[in-house]
Structures are given as structure tokens and as C-alpha cells.
Amino acid sequence: MNAKLDTTVTTRPVTRQTFDEVLVPTYAPAAMVPVRAAGLDLWDQTGKHYLDFTSGIAVASLGHCHPVLVEALTRQANTLWHLGNGYTNEPVLRLALALTEATFADRAFFCNSGAEANEAAFKLARKYAHTKFGAHKSRIISCFNSFHGRTLFTVSVGGQAKYTEGFEPLPQAIDHIAFNDIEAARAAIGDDVCAVVVEPVQGEGGVMPADVEYLKELRALCDKTGALLIFDEVQCGMGRTGDLFAYMGYGVTPDVLTSAKALGNGYPIGAMLTTETLAAALGVGTHGTTYGGNPMATTVALNVLETINQPAFLARVKEAGAKLRATLEKLAADYPQFLSTVRGSGLLLGVVLADAFKGRSKDIQKAAEAQGLMMLIAGTDVVRFAPALIVTDAQIAEADRLLRVALDSLAAA
Ligand SMILES: *Cc1c(COP(=O)(O)O)cnc(C)c1O
């Protein structure tokens, strides 16, 4: 062992340019490199401060380095990290109890990401239908503009062709229909369908909420045909809409629900929730993952769930969401050359760009970043805001002020 070399590799200077030299170029990260954060405050390598209205794409919902989570994770790190699935552990049992008590579900499967949670859901749907009805019932129906992850199965189910191009041959028996189109759903959901998957609020596809009538019709069509209704709540779940899960606000209960992102507040974890009957289709040996349900991730998620699933916390999310929505509506009215309608739910909000500015969401994001505001885009025509759920009124007002300076700078350019 060379102690000097160890010190060098762990502390040597790195810059944004290092990314281009040693990472697979799947991303085009911002020019600044964040080094430290607390709550919604973040600092880059130069010490510049940013107000974070992204929470890492709706992940750090309790803010960065939340003290309760830091304490829980540190305690667990000194207790037990990993076992493998030949053993269970106390945190995973407590998390499964808490999630099943809080939702429609009776059973939980844990994994490490949203894509894996959806992969498990799609495999469950195929396996259940195969066992109960036969191999002909294998079709999966999903919506255009949906996003369900980046594994080959989940990009194939996802409704954006740009993510599957070049990766063929793709998994078979997957059809896409227009989101919120009841007639298209009626035409597509027949007896050969094993699952219908939908995001109650489409995130990546442009922050588009489902109509309640649409979700009710999907429920009815699934009941009629024996297909499983899968809600992908990886982005819109865990308090983001002001309900613990979005399905609760809609009053439409799925057969399978997937969660990730905010479930771990930045510590990787995904979950698939389902009923006792359906869970039985995935018997011993049918599915699994090395890290799924490990004590570190489940300890964090348990504390996240306990913090978010409180009436006062969720009521405040609705209040802050209404405040941010009103702020963005006023902003759009004041800057009609850039912005038009506001849509979304709770603290997952999108602003559609004005026709004259279509295709340039990234320009607004960059202008905001220059002023010290981190925000998201959802495609080229929508800017997206997903601040931590603990965002204060003062932080919403500050984001508004920074956005106005940013838009003024774009207007002057
Ligand atoms: C982010 C996202 C996923 C994929 O989650 P990963 O953790 O990136 O695999 C799936 N579905 C939805 C709705 C998402 O927003």
C-alpha cells in the first residue's frame, strides 16, 4: 500500500473538464461543480452560492444534508452496511411495515432506482398474467411522452422514441397511446394486455398531470380485462404533490406502485409496492438484486417517510405549491415573450414556454444559473421547478427575484 498515492488520488484537484476526459459522455453537466449543500443552499468550487430549485430532479425533498437523515445514516454506517439477500435486516422490515401501513399495498420489493422499480413492476405483470391467464396475455400499454427509466425494458415501455433509437432489438408487445386520451385507452386495452402503466403526473414528458377521469377509466378498463394498473410515482410520489402518493389525491388506487427518487432523498433506493395476491407471482428465485433493501438505504428511507408522512408537513407542501404556482403565473404574465401557461401539481410545476421562445428552455436554465438559481427543464419547451418540499415563502420570493433578473438579462441579450 502506498499511503502517499492514496492521499493523492483522494484529494487531487479536479474540474468540470475532468468530466469530459474520463466519464462516458452520457450527460452534459453544468459548467459549475457543486461541492457542498445544506437545505436549499448550495455552493460550487468557487464558493458561489446557489438557491436549489431542482432538489436533484425531485430527489432531495427534505433538502440537502437534512440533519435527521445525516444522523440516521451515520448511526447505521457504524452498525451494519450490507448482508445480501440470504439474510433480512431490521430497517428493511420497518420500512416495509411503514410503507404498507401508509398505502394500499400489502407487500414491498426494494431495489436501487426508479428504473429497477419499474422493471420489477413490468416483470411482475408479465409473470402474473403468464401464470394466471397464459402467455398470450403479455401486452403492456404505456403513454407517449412517459418516462420510466433507462434499462432496455423501461426505455421500451417509456413513450419517447429518442431513448430507444439505436438500441434495437427491443422487448416486444409494448404499445403506446396518447396520454389523457380516454378513447385511445379504450381502443388499446384488450384481453391480451397484462399491464397499463402511467405517471399520475408526467415529469420528464413536460410536467403534465393526468385528468382524474382518465385515471378512473384506466382503472375500469384494467378491472374489465384483468390487466394490472401500474402507477409510476418515481417522480410525483413521496409528498411531491402534497399527498403522500399522488394516487391518494386522485382517489384511484393502482395494483402496483413504483417509488424511488425522493424515497431516499439522494441515497439510492427504489420500491415496488403491490398487493398480497399479486406479490405471490414473484416467488423465491424469480427476481432479485444484490443491494435491494440494504440497511443503509432503508434506514434513510424510513426516516424520509416518517418525516414526510405527517398531515402538517403535507399541508405545507400544498400551501407552498400554491404559492409557487401563483408566483410563476404572475411571472409568466409579466414575461409573455418567454413564458405562457403554468401546470403541474404541488411542488412539481412546469411553465410552458411562449411560442416565440419554444425550443429554448435551456437558455432560461442557464440564465437562472448565472444569477445563482438552479432550476430544471422538461424537454425543450418547458421549464420545471421541483424545490425541496421544505421550501420557505422567503425562498420562493428569492427564486422569483432571481428569475426576473435572469429573464431581464435574456431580454437585453
Ligand atoms: C426518474 C424517473 C424514473 C427513473 O428513475 P431512475 O432512478 O433514474 O432509474 C422512472 N420513472 C419516472 C417517472 C422518473 O421520473
Side-chain angles (χ1 to χ4, degrees):
M1 287 295 286
N2 184 330
K4 188 156 176 262
L5 185 68
D6 276 347
T7 309
T8 312
V9 298
T10 55
T11 60
R12 68 179 151 194
V14 285
T15 66
R16 169 61 180 80
Q17 198 190 325
T18 314
F19 181 95
D20 294 335
E21 292 164 0
V22 290
L23 274 292
V24 174
T26 46
Y27 311 113
M32 65 94 165
V33 179
V35 292
R36 185 167 65 83
L40 282 81
D41 295 304
L42 182 145
W43 293 267
D44 73 8
Q45 285 183 316
T46 69
K48 179 175 167 181
H49 172 264
Y50 298 84
L51 179 60
D52 182 3
F53 264 48
T54 71
S55 45
I57 317 192
V59 169
S61 279
L62 297 179
H64 296 284
C65 298
H66 189 286
V68 169
L69 305 183
V70 171
E71 201 278 327
L73 184 61
T74 307
R75 186 193 298 253
Q76 190 60 42
N78 284 301
T79 307
L80 183 65
W81 283 37
H82 181 77
L83 292 153
N85 293 305
Y87 305 89
T88 190
N89 64 76
E90 291 181 345
V92 77
L93 298 171
R94 293 194 181 106
L95 179 61
L97 280 172
L99 280 169
T100 53
E101 280 160 12
T103 66
F104 75 95
D106 317 303
R107 295 287 185 272
F109 172 81
F110 294 106
C111 49
N112 315 291
S113 67
E116 279 179 78
N118 287 324
E119 185 88 18
F122 304 154
K123 283 181 72 178
L124 167 65
R126 284 266 175 90
K127 187 89 172 161
Y128 175 75
H130 197 280
T131 311
K132 187 163 180 211
F133 301 98
H136 69 284
K137 195 172 176 70
S138 58
R139 188 161 299 280
I140 296 174
I141 303 292
S142 150
C143 295
F144 286 116
N145 285 325
S146 66
F147 183 81
H148 300 298
R150 296 297 200 114
T151 64
L152 194 58
F153 199 176
T154 55
V155 280
S156 303
V157 174
Q160 302 188 55
K162 65 181 180 195
Y163 294 141
T164 52
E165 273 158 20
F167 295 110
E168 302 83 358
L170 304 177
Q172 297 296 295
I174 298 164
D175 286 337
H176 297 97
I177 57 176
F179 184 63
N180 271 339
D181 183 336
I182 286 181
E183 284 314 316
R186 283 184 184 142
I189 300 170
D191 286 333
D192 65 342
V193 173
C194 70
V196 177
V197 57
V198 67
E199 294 163 79
V201 183
Q202 283 191 338
E204 301 305 303
V207 194
M208 186 67 108
D211 300 331
V212 63
E213 290 313 318
Y214 182 65
L215 295 187
K216 282 188 174 150
E217 183 65 19
L218 293 184
R219 179 69 274 175
L221 290 165
C222 286
D223 289 342
K224 196 171 115 194
T225 57
L228 304 189
L229 182 60
I230 302 172
F231 281 180
D232 179 345
E233 296 218 19
V234 169
Q235 186 158 159
C236 66
M238 285 303 288
R240 185 57 47 191
T241 62
D243 291 298
L244 178 62
F245 287 104
Y247 84 84
M248 296 167 174
Y250 278 98
V252 178
T253 303
D255 300 299
V256 182
L257 182 146
T258 56
S259 177
K261 290 201 165 95
L263 182 59
N265 206 70
Y267 200 96
I269 181 169
M272 176 190 72
L273 305 179
T274 190
T275 63
E276 181 181 358
T277 310
L278 298 175
L282 289 184
V284 175
T286 55
H287 192 55
T289 153
T290 295
Y291 285 128
N294 73 79
M296 300 285 279
T298 50
T299 290
V300 175
L302 186 59
N303 284 274
V304 171
L305 179 64
E306 183 165 273
T307 307
I308 287 178
N309 194 24
Q310 303 289 342
F313 186 96
L314 293 168
R316 167 60 198 169
V317 174
K318 286 192 176 158
E319 182 186 83
K323 189 123 206 157
L324 180 58
R325 182 186 280 263
T327 300
L328 293 173
E329 277 167 354
K330 177 82 170 52
L331 188 76
D334 291 346
Y335 290 86
Q337 71 271 44
F338 297 119
L339 306 173
S340 67
T341 43
V342 179
R343 66 192 185 200
S345 180
L347 280 169
L348 180 58
L349 293 170
V351 187
V352 182
L353 300 194
D355 282 342
F357 210 68
K358 279 259 154 69
R360 295 184 58 187
S361 58
K362 214 156 182 128
D363 291 353
I364 296 180
Q365 186 186 36
K366 279 193 177 145
E369 188 189 300
Q371 299 307 323
L373 176 69
M374 293 159 66
M375 55 179 282
L376 296 163
I377 61 176
T380 55
D381 298 339
V382 177
V383 288
R384 175 172 37 158
F385 299 89
L389 306 181
I390 57 169
V391 67
T392 63
D393 289 357
Q395 286 167 325
I396 292 172
E398 175 66 359
D400 182 40
R401 190 185 71 76
L402 295 171
L403 276 168
R404 284 168 189 270
V405 179
L407 293 176
D408 287 341
S409 77
L410 277 178

